[in-house]
Amino acid sequence: MEVAKVYMLQWHDMGQQPFAALMRFRQTSDAVINRCQRWAELNYRTPSPVAAMTKLSGLSERSFVRRFARATDMKAIDYIHALRLEKAKQLLEGGDLPVEAVANEVGYEDASFFGRLFRRQVGVTPAQYRIRFGALRRALSRD
């Protein structure tokens, strides 16, 4: 599936944005932030994950926000959204859960917010993503 995305086996007019993996970045030089990232990868569904990462870090909120941004070049909440969207993409590619259930599964209570965020970050709606990449995954799994 990754190879197909990289080589864009299904060329379309939306460019490469839907193919791009959002989570290809993990900072490793800052041990505290790295520990928070590892925690987030397992607990991204929890309510208020940024507050939990702040507590885990042992830093003040302000220090955590600055240090996380410096280490990763992104805000902690954006990191959580990226983790959630990557998982949502996997669920949309490989399953038939309704979009609302996918949103809930990855930690969003508001499916409309999830849909808007997904479209803004990925470039297509969750339903369009499922149609395009679900078919690709099925085709690749037959081989």
Side-chain angles (χ1 to χ4, degrees):
M1 190 68 174
E2 290 299 316
V3 171
K5 287 180 183 179
V6 168
Y7 289 104
M8 296 178 60
L9 294 179
Q10 285 192 341
W11 179 253
H12 56 85
D13 60 351
M14 290 174 252
Q16 254 185 322
Q17 192 174 7
F19 295 91
L22 297 172
M23 293 305 303
R24 295 292 178 244
F25 44 83
R26 183 197 273 168
Q27 181 286 124
T28 57
S29 63
D30 186 325
V32 171
I33 299 304
N34 192 273
R35 183 174 65 235
C36 291
Q37 288 178 298
R38 284 193 316 271
W39 179 90
E41 289 171 10
L42 299 173
N43 299 285
Y44 59 86
R45 294 179 58 199
T46 63
S48 305
V50 175
M53 286 193 303
T54 302
K55 186 176 180 180
L56 176 67
S57 74
L59 302 168
S60 69
E61 181 178 353
R62 187 173 169 175
S63 293
F64 174 76
V65 167
R66 276 195 311 255
R67 195 162 159 180
F68 193 94
R70 186 173 54 241
T72 63
D73 289 328
M74 64 189 320
K75 295 177 183 177
I77 190 63
D78 293 337
Y79 186 82
I80 295 297
H81 286 316
L83 285 171
R84 288 175 172 181
L85 291 177
E86 277 301 303
K87 180 60 177 175
K89 287 165 73 174
Q90 292 171 11
L91 291 171
L92 290 166
E93 289 168 11
D96 57 358
L97 283 175
V99 171
E100 294 79 14
V102 170
N104 190 269
E105 183 68 26
V106 298
Y108 293 108
E109 293 179 13
D110 183 352
S112 64
F113 173 78
F114 165 73
R116 288 190 308 274
L117 180 66
F118 193 96
R119 182 170 174 95
R120 185 171 50 240
Q121 296 296 323
V122 180
V124 294
T125 66
Q128 290 168 329
Y129 187 89
R130 170 179 276 148
I131 290 168
R132 189 153 318 269
F133 292 109
L136 182 57
R137 182 176 289 277
R138 284 189 299 280
L140 292 173
S141 66
R142 280 184 242 156
D143 294 337

